[in-house]
Amino acid sequence: MKLATLRVDGGTRAVRLDGNVLVDLGYPDLGALFAQDGWEARAAQATGETWPADGADLAPVVPNPSKVVCVGHNYTNHIKEMGRELPAYPTLFPKFADTLTGPADPIGKPPETDALDWEVELVVVVGKTVRRASEDEAAAAIAGFTVMNDVSVRDWQFRTIEWTQGKIWQSSTPVGPYVVTPDEVGGVRPALEVKTTVDGRVMQQDDTGTLLFDPVHLVRYISTIVQLNPGDLIATGTPAGVGHARDPKVYLTGGETVVTEVAGIGACVNQIVKES
């Protein structure tokens, strides 16, 4: 299944993609759906109101997750381009719900930076409450996968040894367009092409099969630290090709169209606009 959260007058609705229409699933968003026991059957069997999928105004797939956990340094090529050694453990940092935005929303370039960068990421969407998950429990907790552009304010990111302040700018991180269930993408350890283009130029291209720490490992590891709840998001990291690592460096200045895509899932397509 392909699931999304649709913006409608006065709120949002959880929907399922059927051909070229979106079917209402009876819940205000995907976070509320995933919190229900047996959500898979509920989503598959729903026959609610429909809307055209073409031109739909999609929200972040989960508008208000209890947590967004991001993983740095998880593709070998990206680690090397940043001049670092392969990590023994996942490198984690948080985002907040206020950081998220829709998959087709414009992204503001803050006036406080001239170092705005892109990062395509495969995102794990949690569908069950888990704590200290076994491998089987971790696999069963994965509702599906989506796409994130972890837009980064590099000069703020590297002001300190902690990255968070460069990663949590207001409405800077598109997530979507769909949550795709594991059966449609080859299981809970999918090998999918990830790609970023900026104004049609390919900047990043890799395969999620090369992740150092795969989705099941990440659910196990993070759930050891803190309970994962339905609707929580785990961004699995970005491959080589970010603007900050290029020589000379390349940053987003305003006016560009950035497409971050994961094969079989979809793409976030966002225009960069200068904030006044």
Side-chain angles (χ1 to χ4, degrees):
M1 287 184 290
K2 287 189 173 182
L3 310 172
T5 296
L6 174 69
R7 292 175 176 138
V8 297
D9 290 344
T12 59
R13 302 300 297 170
V15 294
R16 179 186 73 240
L17 179 65
D18 275 1
N20 59 358
V21 299
L22 300 171
V23 180
D24 193 332
L25 303 182
Y27 296 91
D29 58 56
L30 290 186
L33 171 70
F34 295 145
Q36 304 301 311
D37 290 337
W39 67 261
E40 299 97 329
R42 295 170 187 259
Q45 296 166 9
T47 57
E49 183 180 355
T50 62
W51 297 269
D54 220 16
D57 184 12
L58 298 180
V61 287
V62 180
N64 292 291
S66 76
K67 63 188 70 66
V68 182
V69 183
C70 301
V71 183
H73 299 163
N74 205 17
Y75 286 86
T76 302
N77 290 338
H78 178 54
I79 297 166
K80 290 180 178 177
E81 78 173 350
M82 299 300 277
R84 296 184 172 92
E85 296 183 358
L86 299 185
Y89 304 101
T91 301
L92 307 179
F93 62 90
K95 282 184 182 283
F96 309 121
D98 287 347
T99 309
L100 306 182
T101 193
D105 292 348
I107 297 171
K109 178 200 167 295
E112 294 86 358
T113 186
D114 290 314
L116 195 68
D117 205 351
W118 57 82
E119 292 191 5
V120 62
E121 309 215 6
L122 175 75
V123 176
V124 178
V125 184
V126 177
K128 292 182 179 179
T129 301
V130 284
R131 179 78 202 282
R132 298 189 174 98
S134 67
E135 182 154 335
D136 288 346
E137 289 168 339
I142 296 175
F145 300 94
T146 192
V147 184
M148 174 187 287
N149 185 354
D150 178 19
V151 173
S152 301
V153 180
R154 297 297 190 193
D155 45 355
W156 286 68
Q157 177 181 348
F158 296 116
R159 284 183 170 188
T160 69
I161 60 172
E162 298 291 346
W163 300 342
T164 303
Q165 63 187 333
K167 298 286 191 172
I168 57 170
W169 288 66
Q170 182 78 28
S171 304
S172 63
T173 302
V175 181
Y178 297 100
V179 175
V180 180
T181 50
D183 59 293
E184 292 204 14
V185 292
V188 293
R189 295 181 173 91
L192 306 171
E193 182 187 62
V194 292
K195 183 167 67 173
T196 298
T197 62
V198 179
D199 288 341
R201 179 186 173 192
V202 176
M203 295 297 196
Q204 294 180 282
Q205 194 164 20
D206 210 318
D207 188 299
T208 63
T210 69
L211 288 169
L212 288 178
F213 306 109
D214 68 40
V216 176
H217 181 97
L218 292 173
V219 172
R220 289 193 67 189
Y221 188 84
I222 296 166
S223 74
T224 302
I225 303 167
V226 65
Q227 177 175 293
L228 290 172
N229 300 312
D232 284 353
L233 306 177
I234 302 172
T236 62
T238 202
V242 299
H244 184 78
R246 293 172 178 266
D247 187 14
K249 298 182 190 302
V250 178
Y251 295 123
L252 300 166
T253 60
E256 302 93 341
T257 297
V258 182
V259 180
T260 45
E261 182 175 7
V262 180
I265 297 176
C268 296
V269 182
N270 308 94
Q271 186 175 27
I272 307 302
V273 298
K274 292 183 178 181
E275 292 182 0
S276 58

